[in-house]
């Protein structure tokens, strides 16, 4: 079962037109790790969560499913 973070990350990445490999490059991680996050198989650490929020100009709360923006 996907968690809210996995759903939000996948949705934001697709909406922005980024491939998994492009996002991975921006975050300096492997494409496989991005895939794990999007499939709910792994969680990222707090620093990475902040970087992801910055890339997509959103809040950490939104990424975690706590807010609608």
């Amino acid at each position: 079962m996907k968690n809210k973070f996995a759903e939000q990350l996948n949705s934001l990445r697709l909406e922005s037109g980024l491939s998994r490999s492009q996002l991975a490059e921006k975050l300096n991680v492997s494409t496989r790790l991005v895939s794990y996050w999007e499939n709910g198989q792994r969680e990222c650490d707090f620093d990475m969560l902040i970087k992801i929020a910055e890339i997509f100009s959103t809040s950490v709360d939104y990424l975690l499913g706590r807010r609608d923006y």
Side-chain angles (χ1 to χ4, degrees):
M1 183 173 97
K2 277 191 176 182
N3 60 37
K4 195 64 175 176
F5 170 72
E7 293 174 8
Q8 300 293 61
L9 178 59
N10 181 260
S11 178
L12 287 167
R13 181 182 60 76
L14 293 174
E15 287 173 13
S16 69
L18 289 174
S19 68
R20 283 182 177 156
S21 60
Q22 288 169 320
L23 178 57
E25 188 175 321
K26 287 178 177 284
L27 295 169
N28 199 29
V29 299
S30 70
T31 302
R32 180 171 287 183
L33 186 54
V34 172
S35 178
Y36 286 151
W37 292 337
E38 288 188 356
N39 289 308
Q41 295 173 314
R42 297 214 180 141
E43 295 178 356
C44 66
D45 63 25
F46 294 125
D47 291 335
M48 191 60 64
L49 191 60
I50 292 167
K51 286 181 188 177
I52 292 168
E54 289 173 353
I55 286 172
F56 293 113
S57 300
T58 192
S59 68
V60 169
D61 279 345
Y62 178 78
L63 285 172
L64 297 176
R66 296 177 48 106
R67 295 231 172 124
D68 292 335
Y69 51 87

